[in-house]
Amino acid sequence: MVLTIPLVLLLAAVLALLLRFRAVGAGAAVAAALFGFYLAGTGAAHTVNALITAVAGALAGIGH
């Protein structure tokens, strides 16, 4: 059985945990979210997406 979790949900959970344990402040969390939002609208979005896809593929291949 394979369970897939969207990356955005995983990152949201990590950010929520960081906020919960006060490892990052609310201002830094907002800045990180805004950075990601604006990064998605730049020319770097394709490169970042390709990198994340490659890393996810490599991690998935480790178990096989």
Side-chain angles (χ1 to χ4, degrees):
M1 181 173 139
V2 175
L3 177 67
T4 58
I5 300 173
L7 184 60
V8 73
L9 255 116
L10 183 63
L11 292 174
V14 168
L15 189 58
L17 287 173
L18 288 172
L19 283 170
R20 172 75 174 116
F21 295 114
R22 300 192 196 278
V24 67
V30 169
L34 287 174
F35 175 72
F37 178 78
Y38 286 114
L39 180 64
T42 67
H46 178 69
T47 304
V48 171
N49 193 17
L51 175 68
I52 296 299
T53 302
V55 169
L59 290 176
I62 290 174
H64 294 162

